[in-house]
Amino acid sequence: MLKNYFKVTLRNLVKNKVSTFINLFGLSIGLSACVLAFLVINFELNYDNFHSKGESIYRVVRDEVSDSGEKRNASTPFPMRSALINDYPELLGVTQVFYPQEYQLQWEEEKWTQNDIIFSDSNFFQVFDFEVVTGNPIASFRKPNTAFITESMAKSHFGGDSPVGKVINFSEIVDVEIAGVLKDAPGNSHLPFSMIVNMESFNDEMVGGFKYDSWGVNIGFAHYVMLPEGMSKADFENQLALLPRKYLKGESAENTHYTLQPLREIHFDKTYAEFNPGYTVDTSYLYVLGFIGLFILLLACINFVNLSTALALRKSREVGVRKVLGATRMQLVYQYLGEAFLLTLLATLVALGV
């Protein structure tokens, strides 16, 4: 019986080529648009979700109150790393990152400009989960003038050769040795990079001779902390309130406040968007995109039903003949549902291909 249903369904679809094509095309486009919209939404909502300890990771951000109003920034002073480690030993992890910049690199005779280069310390790999291909970043990053590069950078400049052990001149300032290779960071990471350099390699010349290592300077360093189990965001923020009074002077001590920003909210928080190396997105746009995807799918379904209904009127003679030959009502229902199911299946396959 099923074989007969299938044969008749194929014959009907081939017989009505125009209506079959219109139905298939319309439904495929609708499904494609809907699937694409929800893939984008899923991608955005899963920003930074690949970090296994993500729920415990926070970025320390700075709020300043002055006569001109309130200023918020994710850039925090360079000495904060030492202060966090020394003053709050209960923290499970503290890491410092100098956010992505563009530098001139040279290896042998080849020179190129590389963007998305960050500086950090060995704790970076204890806090964040970036997959290592070769090398031991925790051990290697205790040595000055070492770096890890991503697979894509390794392929671009070293081809099939292993880059480990090769020395790159960094902006004609310092030579750094490649200690290992990392998997490329996922696209939905707020911290994109192609190269991560040991923080001990950072010096004044990297920022044009500017003195950056004082509490009164904020030029691009960010600090991330990993809270222990049982400590809430509010609990630690109460402790952070002591930092400005201890290390800052004058009005800055009174007007500066440090708070925590959850890692998984960075991508959606426009408050500090100017400082984020990636980009931020308003969740309301994701709702709009989801609505548009569902609306397009609904239009495609309505179009599909209308065309199927119009075609059903032309099948009245076939229905009459089948009834005369003894077909039951349910057999006719199964036949036409089978046609709709097969057409929908084909449209789904086309949509997935698209």
Side-chain angles (χ1 to χ4, degrees):
M1 183 64 73
L2 289 175
K3 184 178 179 181
N4 178 261
Y5 285 153
F6 184 71
K7 287 172 65 176
V8 173
T9 295
L10 285 179
R11 287 172 183 170
N12 286 336
L13 293 178
V14 173
K15 179 181 178 182
N16 302 287
K17 294 184 181 67
V18 176
S19 59
T20 298
F21 173 77
I22 294 173
N23 260 335
L24 185 62
F25 181 77
L27 197 56
S28 298
I29 294 300
L31 284 169
S32 299
C34 189
V35 170
L36 182 60
F38 280 92
L39 282 174
V40 171
I41 292 171
N42 181 68
F43 177 84
E44 296 290 343
L45 292 179
N46 282 287
Y47 244 77
D48 293 309
N49 273 3
F50 61 93
H51 298 294
S52 60
K53 300 177 283 287
E55 293 182 359
S56 303
I57 301 172
Y58 296 83
R59 181 170 67 175
V60 181
V61 292
R62 174 172 52 92
D63 300 337
E64 291 181 337
V65 180
S66 63
D67 295 337
S68 58
E70 187 177 13
K71 296 171 65 177
R72 296 182 176 181
N73 204 310
S75 176
T76 43
F78 177 82
M80 178 173 279
R81 177 181 181 273
S82 298
L84 290 171
I85 292 174
N86 295 329
D87 295 0
Y88 307 104
E90 66 273 19
L91 292 173
L92 297 180
V94 176
T95 189
Q96 180 184 64
V97 177
F98 187 72
Y99 271 167
Q101 302 291 328
E102 185 176 271
Y103 296 96
Q104 183 78 29
L105 303 182
Q106 180 177 355
W107 175 63
E108 294 182 344
E109 300 301 319
E110 182 185 6
K111 290 184 179 181
W112 73 96
T113 300
Q114 187 74 43
N115 56 10
D116 291 347
I117 295 178
I118 67 173
F119 288 80
S120 191
D121 50 67
S122 59
N123 290 345
F124 180 87
F125 296 96
Q126 295 176 326
V127 174
F128 298 112
D129 296 332
F130 291 101
E131 189 176 346
V132 179
V133 179
T134 58
N136 186 335
I138 296 176
S140 298
F141 257 43
R142 292 193 175 98
K143 305 173 186 176
N145 301 338
T146 53
F148 274 71
I149 63 175
T150 59
E151 282 187 315
S152 58
M153 181 178 171
K155 290 176 182 176
S156 298
H157 300 283
F158 302 100
D161 297 333
S162 172
V164 177
K166 292 180 170 57
V167 176
I168 294 178
N169 180 267
F170 205 93
S171 291
E172 298 183 353
I173 298 172
V174 66
D175 290 333
V176 296
E177 180 183 345
I178 299 175
V181 178
L182 305 172
K183 285 277 188 184
D184 287 15
N188 52 355
S189 170
H190 88 283
L191 193 59
F193 64 88
S194 57
M195 183 178 188
I196 177 169
V197 186
N198 184 297
M199 186 62 76
E200 291 187 29
S201 306
F202 197 87
N203 56 51
D204 296 352
E205 293 183 64
M206 297 290 184
V207 285
F210 191 79
K211 295 296 182 182
Y212 60 88
D213 55 351
S214 67
W215 277 92
V217 177
N218 299 280
I219 62 167
F221 291 97
H223 293 84
Y224 297 83
V225 297
M226 190 160 59
L227 301 186
E229 188 175 351
M231 178 182 285
S232 69
K233 173 176 176 286
D235 291 339
F236 190 65
E237 284 179 336
N238 290 334
Q239 298 183 43
L240 273 179
L242 302 174
L243 273 185
R245 300 169 194 170
K246 184 175 180 180
Y247 295 103
L248 297 178
K249 299 177 181 179
E251 291 186 0
S252 295
E254 297 296 326
N255 298 336
T256 302
H257 305 279
Y258 295 118
T259 57
L260 298 181
Q261 182 185 31
L263 174 68
R264 290 173 180 170
E265 292 182 13
I266 292 176
H267 182 60
F268 305 101
D269 190 351
K270 287 188 172 293
T271 306
Y272 308 98
E274 291 183 7
F275 190 73
N276 290 343
Y279 68 94
T280 56
V281 64
D282 192 330
T283 51
S284 61
Y285 291 120
L286 299 182
Y287 288 118
V288 171
L289 182 61
F291 175 78
I292 291 173
L294 289 174
F295 183 69
I296 293 174
L297 181 61
L298 179 63
L299 288 179
C301 291
I302 292 173
N303 181 61
F304 180 84
V305 170
N306 286 339
L307 287 173
S308 298
T309 303
L311 189 62
L313 297 176
R314 296 166 53 186
K315 294 181 178 180
S316 56
R317 182 182 301 176
E318 178 187 341
V319 172
V321 172
R322 285 180 175 274
K323 283 187 174 182
V324 169
L325 294 174
T328 65
R329 182 175 181 274
M330 289 309 300
Q331 287 176 326
L332 294 173
V333 170
Y334 291 149
Q335 176 64 53
Y336 294 118
L337 281 179
E339 286 187 22
F341 174 77
L342 183 59
L343 200 55
T344 304
L345 179 62
L346 292 172
T348 302
L349 293 175
V350 172
L352 290 175
V354 170

